Amino acid sequence: ASPIPAPNPRPDIAYSKIFINNEWHDAVSKKTFPTINPATGEVICQVAEGDKVNAVGLRWVCSPWEQVQRGWRGRHHPMSHLGSSVFAAALETLDNGKPYAISYLVDLDMVVKCLRYFAGWSDKFHGKTIPLDGDFFCYTRHEPVGVCGQIIPWNFPLLMQAWKLGPALATGNVVVMKVAEQTPLTALYVASLIKEAGFPPGVVNIIPGYGTTAGAAISSHMDVDKVAFTGSTEVGHLIQKAAAESNLKRVTLELGGKSPNIIMSDADMDWAVDQAHFALFFNQGQCCCAGSRTYVQEGIYNEFVERSVEKAKARVVGNPFDFKTEQGPQVDEEQFKKILGYISTGQREGAKLLCGGSPAADRGYFIQPTVFGDVQDSMTIAREEIFGPVMQILKFRTIEEVIERANDSKYGLAAAVFTRDLDKANFVSQSLRAGTVWINCYDVFGAQAPFGGYKASGNGRELGEYGLEAYVEVKN
Amino acid sequence: MAALNGAVENGQPDKKVPPLPRPLRSLEVKYTKIFINNEWHESTSGKKFPTYNPSTLEKICDIEEGDKPDVDSAVEAAKAAFQRGSPWRQMDAPSRGRFLHKLADLLERDRVILATLETMDTGKPFLQAYFIDLEGCIKTLRYYAGWADKIQGRTIPVDENFVCFTRHEPMGVCGAITPWNFPLLMLVWKMAPALCCGNTLVIKPAEQTPLTALYIGSLIKEVGFPPGVVNIVPGYGPTAGAAISTHDSIDKIAFTGSTKVGKLIKEAASKSNLKRVTLELGGKNPCIVCADADLDLAVECAHQGVFFNQGQCCTAASRVFVEEQIYAEFVKRSVEFAKKRLVGDPFDARTEQGPQIDQKQFDKILELIESGKKEGAKLECGGLAIEDRGLFIKPTVFSEVTDNMRIAKEEIFGPVQPIMKFKSIEEVIRRANSTEYGLTAAVFTKNLDRALTLASALQSGTVWINCYNALYAQAPFGGFKMSGNGREL
């Protein structure tokens, strides 16, 4: 494999304002906010702080965009060449803290694939002609839903942006996107590419700012037809409420999770340990679908725990621009403190701290890879989403028991089962109340495959053909 | 010249008009051999056959003549490339899509070369080859590139306690026999969906027009398709074509050409291994102009509909039914159009019509024109060859045509427009459907009910309303009855 191109760890920040109508604007209030490099705790730069007044006044730019042929719309996606990938990956690492090698090989790769996938759908999302009772000609059109508010998180800034832009633009909508205040930089860079790609002005608008101001303005805006949000369940409630109280805008939500990863005693042990580690620790533990309840069948429990601890201890935490680093810092001080808080709660409630448990450096928001054993379902660390490098291992005896315990959560985003037995795989995967069930793997994503949660993990699905549905209105 | 009436072309309303592309005047033909396993081979027999430029009647070059042994080698290569575990079978769906996009990129890069070759080989005007044929090729490739990772099966709830799901698997080795009227475009119409779904191909291009097919072989190699995925065997129908249709290791055959040969192919398929068959055959397509139509639009669409590509389209509007109230005016305006149609050197930017493809077609068209005169149709203009100009025929219009005349029943495939009169909708529906063909139809009317009635009553695979030849990669195309089996695009 060809080596990863070396990044510039001090990339030029050219874009830090609000992007509306293909132009860059200061905030109406003239306010700015800082974005921080979580590896050092230092301010990278100031970013224009969008608020209600900027979000207002965006009318649906109907004619030129509607006239644009679907095939053409499909051709124009930004980020298709190498130069922008290297730069974007470096910027992502600077703003978010994730290892550069991963930004480049995983995040950017998935971004490009997602955009290409949805580009292909532009001219293929068919309506139907329908035979009715009586002598009528009946057919459906899949029309764009309109102005789509999209509020995206800080854990995969570029990727979450692509997941939202892809289906929205492929189906002909226009977008008002509020990016996370922790990580606005790469989204703004992509805005410059949107302009370069030739999208008409007003089709994509990007507003950096805070949830309580800009985000709230979007969810309660009377001219926004639909809102898509990825973030915490707590904020998800607020968004759905605001949508209901304003204009009944359509809502899709991708929220939190406490995903069970079930390891049966007949699993391939090496592989299961490897994958369970990856399932929890990937992206500094900052994944909505993190396998944060690792249920291990009692026959293999001790060995599994021992090997998992070994693996956690060997995980390389450090400067995210260093190619050897596997784990960077947490995204900000708030998350850092919250995770340390959960760790001490875990200890207090009687879970067995097997490794880690403390900050990993004096500067920045680094936390040691942490493993708790003998975790009980009732403990806080087994019920609440930690969003950090803290692994919970629980013991179970029977399939029936583990299914019940796995489903006993307000969440239902993802789950996994590791087993060699075909019947167990079928039985467990069909019984789990989760939007994605991975069998003998974890965190396998494809632009082609729908992703989303049961219960309080969300409403609706993103990606795949299914992901197009939320962005169209069916006219019959 | 491009898509007619209201089809928005680029979606960029205020784009600056770039200068017209120029053909390459002394283009060397590089690829004249048989393409198997990404390599170029001479024919097993040592034989070659000539390909001619129908404008100048000069030989362009000699091409290796493939026959059964060459087809056998090609099939072997295609079969090996399709084996379980082969690079092509192992490649994931989105990667196949990437390859098709890359092939489209190369067609864009070599667009002038390909358009020049196509014009040399077919006589079609260069600007049409560039803006229509090549445009269609590129868009079709990109359209199917997008489908590659979207060919979805289903999970199905069945009775009782079973897990049931479908997979949409590639068929295997696909034979494709392509015609001479749109050589590259018809090839891409077959290649794109076949490769999108993971099949391998053995292609026999028409003997009259092998050049662009062979050039695309070089691009297939350049893209990096594994060897054996695409194989191209130029040659004749009764030899190479028959070898493909009877081959026991070919899983499916797709043919575009005459209904007569289509029947032979289907028969050969049944007699050999029951290979799946899709056919795109001839047409005698009705173009129905109602009294309330926008007359200018109807005249122009009907004109382009029959004369486009020297009349050599399976979609040719070769029976124009005009409601009696507007009949005289329609004929008058159509004759005006036909008289000013510019026939000449296809490399000249002003030319609208080039030569017919070869002597055989030329003779057949003139014979049908004579039959029209003899059977009592009124010759309004044209009706003969352009003197001393080889294979060029004057745009010809016949009026007072009746349904029993040969020019109203047989596919002419030349620049001849038969115009008939009708009184009522029911009558024209009956007459339009009284044919063994059923490829396309067109209706010109402003009346909503009439449009919908005719659209549902006509036995045609495509019905165009207030437009003609609106063909796009997204929309299925194919015939009812003896115009074919199955749909492309």
Side-chain angles (χ1 to χ4, degrees):
Chain A
S2 51
I4 305 168
N8 172 3
R10 276 186 240 291
D12 257 333
I13 317 286
Y15 307 106
S16 58
K17 294 190 182 189
I18 299 170
F19 183 77
I20 296 180
N21 276 329
N22 283 6
E23 290 166 350
W24 300 96
H25 299 262
D26 289 320
V28 168
S29 66
K30 298 286 183 244
K31 290 208 286 183
T32 62
F33 67 94
T35 184
I36 313 265
N37 176 348
T40 60
E42 286 164 3
V43 173
I44 303 171
C45 65
Q46 293 289 326
V47 181
E49 186 184 328
D51 200 332
K52 183 176 195 329
V53 190
N54 284 103
V56 156
L58 280 161
R59 314 277 3 202
W60 184 4
V61 178
C62 188
S63 291
W65 188 228
E66 283 254 294
Q67 266 177 40
V68 169
Q69 253 193 327
R70 283 160 193 250
W72 184 84
R73 202 191 298 145
R75 292 292 315 280
H76 288 67
H77 56 265
M79 319 233 18
S80 54
H81 63 93
L82 176 63
S84 24
S85 294
V86 173
F87 176 79
L91 193 56
E92 190 85 313
T93 290
L94 189 68
D95 213 3
N96 167 284
K98 63 177 74 203
Y100 169 78
I102 296 183
S103 293
Y104 183 80
L105 291 174
V106 178
D107 294 63
L108 260 301
D109 183 65
M110 290 178 73
V111 165
V112 172
K113 284 175 167 167
C114 175
L115 292 172
R116 290 212 165 106
Y117 176 78
F118 282 105
W121 267 121
S122 306
D123 57 359
K124 300 175 179 64
F125 195 39
H126 301 147
K128 303 172 194 247
T129 61
I130 300 166
L132 281 190
D133 290 345
D135 194 15
F136 293 96
F137 176 45
C138 172
Y139 67 100
T140 57
R141 283 169 51 88
H142 289 182
E143 302 194 343
V145 69
V147 178
C148 300
Q150 301 184 318
I151 301 172
I152 61 173
W154 48 257
N155 59 343
F156 292 90
L158 279 169
L159 186 58
M160 293 299 99
Q161 182 185 41
W163 279 23
K164 301 266 177 303
L165 289 181
L169 299 178
T171 45
N173 295 284
V174 301
V175 164
V176 177
M177 179 178 278
K178 185 203 92 61
V179 298
E181 60 273 23
Q182 297 86 340
T183 54
L185 299 181
T186 44
L188 294 175
Y189 172 64
V190 170
S192 73
L193 298 181
I194 295 233
K195 179 174 179 172
E196 196 183 318
F199 284 89
V203 171
V204 178
N205 306 279
I206 303 188
I207 303 182
Y210 291 88
T212 45
T213 48
I218 288 174
S219 14
S220 53
H221 204 291
M222 297 303 283
D223 288 331
V224 169
D225 300 290
K226 174 229 167 25
V227 65
F229 169 75
T230 298
S232 68
T233 295
E234 183 197 16
V235 175
H237 280 275
L238 297 176
I239 302 226
Q240 187 139 323
K241 191 150 164 259
E245 285 173 350
S246 55
N247 65 343
L248 285 176
K249 56 176 64 61
R250 291 94 181 85
V251 180
T252 50
L253 305 168
E254 291 278 352
L255 309 175
K258 193 69 184 177
S259 304
N261 185 7
I262 300 167
I263 320 287
M264 310 296 302
S265 53
D266 72 338
D268 174 339
M269 173 70 84
D270 283 332
W271 180 242
V273 167
D274 184 274
Q275 288 295 289
H277 174 86
F278 171 63
L280 189 288
F281 289 102
F282 179 61
N283 207 45
Q284 293 65 252
Q286 298 165 150
C287 290
C288 45
C289 54
S292 50
R293 287 184 287 155
T294 310
Y295 286 99
V296 183
Q297 200 157 28
E298 61 180 359
I300 53 162
Y301 180 81
N302 291 332
E303 191 184 346
F304 189 94
V305 169
E306 196 183 309
R307 293 207 204 185
S308 300
V309 169
E310 229 173 87
K311 228 178 142 68
K313 282 178 170 166
R315 192 170 182 77
V316 179
V317 183
N319 171 8
F321 280 104
D322 187 334
F323 283 23
K324 291 193 305 291
T325 297
E326 295 170 287
Q327 181 178 313
Q330 307 312 123
V331 80
D332 65 9
E333 193 177 3
E334 189 187 320
Q335 287 297 310
F336 178 75
K337 288 186 167 150
K338 183 169 148 201
I339 296 160
L340 290 174
Y342 276 115
I343 292 174
S344 79
T345 303
Q347 290 173 287
R348 217 179 32 249
E349 291 182 353
K352 200 155 125 204
L353 179 67
L354 298 170
C355 69
S358 310
D362 295 323
R363 207 163 75 112
Y365 312 119
F366 297 85
I367 295 181
Q368 294 170 337
T370 299
V371 180
F372 279 106
D374 296 348
V375 177
Q376 305 301 317
D377 289 352
S378 54
M379 294 176 182
T380 304
I381 56 171
R383 304 208 69 77
E384 293 182 22
E385 192 178 34
I386 300 173
F387 231 61
V390 184
M391 185 178 203
Q392 285 63 240
I393 311 185
L394 307 93
K395 193 189 295 186
F396 75 93
R397 279 184 43 240
T398 69
I399 283 199
E400 289 297 345
E401 169 210 336
V402 77
I403 287 170
E404 206 186 305
R405 289 170 65 188
N407 285 338
D408 179 21
S409 166
K410 73 176 187 181
Y411 294 114
L413 188 52
V417 59
F418 284 79
T419 176
R420 283 188 176 98
D421 186 291
L422 179 59
D423 289 333
K424 283 183 192 162
N426 276 333
F427 189 79
V428 174
S429 58
Q430 287 166 32
S431 309
L432 292 168
R433 302 282 296 164
T436 299
V437 181
W438 286 299
I439 300 177
N440 292 331
C441 58
Y442 208 97
D443 276 346
V444 175
F445 286 91
Q448 309 89 350
F451 181 80
Y454 280 44
K455 307 192 282 189
S457 285
N459 287 158
R461 294 293 176 269
E462 288 191 296
L463 302 186
E465 183 180 3
Y466 293 89
L468 297 171
E469 290 169 8
Y471 287 95
V472 301
E473 279 294 341
V474 177
K475 174 185 285 177
N476 187 19
Chain B
M1 170 188 311
L4 299 162
N5 186 46
V8 175
E9 266 307 313
N10 285 318
Q12 297 256 28
D14 45 18
K15 205 174 183 182
K16 226 174 60 161
V17 179
L20 287 176
R22 306 282 213 77
L24 299 166
R25 280 307 185 158
S26 26
L27 180 60
E28 185 207 326
V29 175
K30 284 205 264 185
Y31 306 106
T32 59
K33 297 191 181 179
I34 298 170
F35 184 74
I36 297 178
N37 270 330
N38 285 4
E39 289 162 351
W40 299 99
H41 299 265
E42 282 164 12
S43 65
T44 309
S45 64
K47 289 206 288 182
K48 299 196 214 289
F49 69 95
T51 185
Y52 293 96
N53 178 337
S55 314
T56 60
L57 298 176
E58 283 163 7
K59 180 168 89 167
I60 301 170
C61 63
D62 286 309
I63 307 282
E64 296 296 323
E65 186 184 329
D67 201 328
K68 185 165 176 4
D70 309 287
V71 168
D72 285 340
S73 304
V75 173
E76 221 177 280
K79 209 167 148 193
F82 190 73
Q83 279 309 294
R84 225 167 58 82
S86 72
W88 184 235
R89 293 303 294 280
Q90 297 279 59
M91 195 183 287
D92 65 16
S95 300
R96 294 200 301 263
R98 294 290 305 272
F99 270 37
L100 287 172
H101 267 302
K102 178 115 192 269
L103 185 58
D105 291 343
L106 295 184
L107 260 81
E108 276 179 342
R109 180 193 70 190
D110 293 350
R111 193 167 176 169
V112 171
I113 297 173
L114 284 160
T116 302
L117 281 173
E118 199 79 309
T119 292
M120 279 164 65
D121 222 1
T122 63
K124 69 173 72 205
F126 170 78
L127 289 178
Q128 288 176 24
Y130 186 92
F131 283 113
I132 299 179
D133 295 59
L134 262 298
E135 179 83 358
C137 288
I138 292 161
K139 285 190 160 157
T140 301
L141 283 168
R142 293 208 189 283
Y143 178 75
Y144 280 105
W147 265 121
D149 59 357
K150 301 173 180 66
I151 312 286
Q152 301 173 150
R154 306 160 190 247
T155 60
I156 300 166
V158 293
D159 290 357
E160 296 176 50
N161 202 13
F162 293 96
V163 172
C164 172
F165 65 95
T166 58
R167 284 170 50 86
H168 290 195
E169 304 193 343
M171 279 183 175
V173 177
C174 300
I177 300 178
T178 56
W180 46 259
N181 59 344
F182 294 89
L184 193 59
L185 184 60
M186 292 300 100
L187 175 52
V188 169
W189 279 20
K190 290 170 183 37
M191 198 185 256
L195 295 176
C196 161
C197 296
N199 296 282
T200 59
L201 284 159
V202 174
I203 298 163
K204 186 203 93 56
E207 60 272 22
Q208 297 89 338
T209 55
L211 300 181
T212 44
L214 294 175
Y215 191 92
I216 238 196
S218 73
L219 299 183
I220 292 276
K221 179 173 179 173
E222 192 180 335
V223 167
F225 282 92
V229 172
V230 177
N231 307 280
I232 307 170
V233 183
Y236 291 89
T239 47
I244 289 175
S245 8
T246 53
H247 207 293
D248 280 326
S249 296
I250 288 183
D251 300 290
K252 179 241 165 44
I253 185 167
F255 168 75
T256 298
S258 68
T259 295
K260 177 170 140 222
V261 176
K263 290 170 82 171
L264 295 175
I265 298 212
K266 194 164 183 180
E267 206 186 316
S270 339
K271 284 189 171 154
S272 54
N273 66 341
L274 285 177
K275 54 175 67 58
R276 291 96 182 85
V277 179
T278 50
L279 305 169
E280 292 279 353
L281 308 175
K284 191 67 184 173
N285 309 297
C287 177
I288 298 168
V289 184
C290 301
D292 72 336
D294 172 339
L295 196 55
D296 281 327
L297 175 71
V299 167
E300 180 169 5
C301 284
H303 173 85
Q304 294 294 356
V306 78
F307 289 105
F308 176 58
N309 208 47
Q310 294 67 251
Q312 298 165 153
C313 290
C314 46
T315 63
S318 51
R319 283 186 296 156
V320 186
F321 290 98
V322 183
E323 201 164 4
E324 60 178 357
Q325 299 94 302
I326 53 160
Y327 184 79
E329 183 62 24
F330 184 94
V331 170
K332 173 159 160 272
R333 294 196 202 187
S334 300
V335 171
E336 261 160 47
F337 252 93
K339 280 182 167 161
K340 62 179 203 241
R341 192 171 183 78
L342 276 165
V343 184
D345 173 7
F347 281 110
D348 186 325
R350 291 161 302 174
T351 297
E352 294 172 276
Q353 180 178 316
Q356 305 312 123
I357 188 72
D358 61 18
Q359 191 69 43
K360 185 165 152 215
Q361 286 297 312
F362 176 82
D363 290 340
K364 177 176 148 203
I365 296 160
L366 287 177
E367 198 243 324
L368 277 159
I369 289 177
E370 287 310 309
S371 80
K373 294 175 188 169
K374 267 206 279 296
E375 290 180 340
K378 181 162 169 225
L379 180 66
E380 297 275 352
C381 67
L384 29 79
I386 293 178
E387 306 79 21
D388 303 333
R389 283 297 308 280
L391 302 173
F392 294 82
I393 297 180
K394 286 194 170 146
T396 300
V397 179
F398 280 106
S399 64
E400 312 299 332
V401 178
T402 55
D403 292 358
N404 57 337
M405 294 177 184
R406 283 183 64 202
I407 55 172
K409 295 205 293 218
E410 295 174 36
E411 191 179 33
I412 303 173
F413 234 60
V416 181
Q417 183 180 43
I419 310 182
M420 303 84 134
K421 196 185 293 187
F422 76 91
K423 284 201 175 75
S424 77
I425 288 292
E426 282 309 314
E427 169 210 337
V428 80
I429 288 172
R430 186 183 39 80
R431 289 168 66 192
N433 286 338
S434 303
T435 165
E436 61 185 15
Y437 292 114
L439 189 54
T440 64
V443 174
F444 290 85
T445 177
K446 291 193 174 113
N447 182 291
L448 179 61
D449 288 332
R450 224 175 231 198
L452 287 175
T453 299
L454 284 163
S456 50
L458 291 166
Q459 292 164 349
S460 300
T462 298
V463 180
W464 287 306
I465 301 180
N466 295 331
C467 58
Y468 209 92
N469 276 341
L471 282 158
Y472 298 101
Q474 303 90 353
F477 179 82
F480 279 39
K481 304 192 280 191
M482 293 186 77
S483 285
N485 288 161
R487 295 294 175 266
E488 288 192 299
L489 306 184

